[in-house]
Amino acid sequence: YRESIRKKAGAEGKFIRQTGGRGQYGHVVIEMEPLERGAGIEFENKVVGGAIPREFISSVEKGVRNAFSSGLIASYPVVDIKVTLLDGSFHAVDSSDVAFQIAGSYAVKEAIKKADPSILEPLMDVEVEVPENNVGDVISDLNSRRGKIEKIETGKNNIQHIKAVVPLSDMFGYSTTLRSMTQGRGIYTMQFLRYSDVPRQIFDTLVAERA
């Protein structure tokens, strides 16, 4: 599974700690927006006027990427999001690399709450070859696995070629089921197609499991 977002959202992150001696201070303002599937993570700096010293910009990016790698809603890696650093502030004595890393991670964790977070699952391109008299059972089984039938073609000797898109999580144990349904005469191939949003019920279950 992967995590992403559906909407643009902004947030700020502050890390301020004052103890005896030197404290810690980092403050950032970011905007987060979804990217196309497969685009990865992008980070852009639009800070002007020295609101954040240049040496701390990379610290913010590191904090953002670290937060994304461990997930924000269900501990799965985050993908296909652009984060733009807009503004912030610093303290001449207390600001540090660590403070801005933490501020960056706080900001994305706050923004994702407002950005309509989603969990993505891998969809597989599945092709099944079965005798004609098994087609109904095979299609019914694929539908029960949340599969979408794309095409059915007739090949040699009335062998039917069924093409479907099925979530990977619902394909476990399929070879055994297919063998049973077709008395060992059915074969299939499967390869990764793309990531897609999970249904709401599965989203809620995954978030609850990883909370």
Side-chain angles (χ1 to χ4, degrees):
Y1 293 105
R2 299 288 185 268
E3 299 177 14
S4 196
I5 57 173
R6 298 188 187 93
K7 295 193 304 191
K8 182 185 287 190
E12 65 178 326
K14 281 185 177 181
F15 180 66
I16 302 171
R17 181 166 293 171
Q18 193 64 53
T19 56
R22 182 176 173 178
Q24 295 281 2
Y25 185 97
H27 170 222
V28 302
V29 179
I30 65 160
E31 186 176 73
M32 179 188 289
E33 60 189 295
L35 296 175
E36 292 182 1
R37 291 287 161 261
I41 300 296
E42 294 182 14
F43 180 88
E44 183 178 4
N45 172 34
K46 285 190 175 179
V47 172
V48 294
I52 299 175
R54 182 161 296 279
E55 65 263 29
F56 294 135
I57 301 299
S58 60
S59 304
V60 178
E61 180 176 3
K62 187 174 181 181
V64 167
R65 291 185 180 276
N66 284 345
F68 282 164
S69 67
S70 57
L72 298 174
I73 52 173
S75 301
Y76 299 111
V78 180
V79 297
D80 306 334
I81 293 178
K82 179 179 180 180
V83 173
T84 304
L85 179 59
L86 301 174
D87 200 3
S89 61
F90 74 103
H91 187 281
V93 176
D94 292 346
S95 286
S96 66
D97 169 57
V98 171
F100 274 100
Q101 282 189 47
I102 296 172
S105 69
Y106 282 179
V108 293
K109 288 173 182 176
E110 194 61 37
I112 206 159
K113 298 174 187 175
K114 300 181 279 185
D116 193 10
S118 63
I119 293 179
L120 310 174
E121 64 180 344
L123 298 184
M124 309 306 287
D125 208 344
V126 178
E127 295 192 21
V128 190
E129 295 183 13
V130 295
E132 188 174 20
N133 61 334
N134 297 125
V135 168
D137 289 340
V138 170
I139 289 175
S140 177
D141 179 70
L142 288 171
N143 286 334
S144 75
R145 297 171 185 268
R146 297 191 289 133
K148 292 183 179 178
I149 307 302
E150 306 260 288
K151 190 185 294 185
I152 302 173
E153 298 175 329
T154 302
K156 292 181 181 179
N157 302 319
N158 281 332
I159 294 296
Q160 303 295 304
H161 298 260
I162 303 167
K163 296 186 178 182
V165 176
V166 190
L168 175 61
S169 62
D170 289 83
M171 285 299 291
F172 293 111
Y174 185 67
S175 57
T176 302
T177 302
L178 180 64
R179 197 160 51 240
S180 174
M181 283 190 297
T182 63
Q183 291 77 51
R185 292 177 291 173
I187 60 173
Y188 82 101
T189 58
M190 178 174 70
Q191 61 182 8
F192 173 76
L193 179 63
R194 65 177 181 272
Y195 276 96
S196 180
D197 291 355
V198 300
R200 186 72 209 186
Q201 183 178 359
I202 295 177
F203 174 92
D204 291 340
T205 299
L206 291 171
V207 171
E209 285 176 351
R210 310 279 284 207

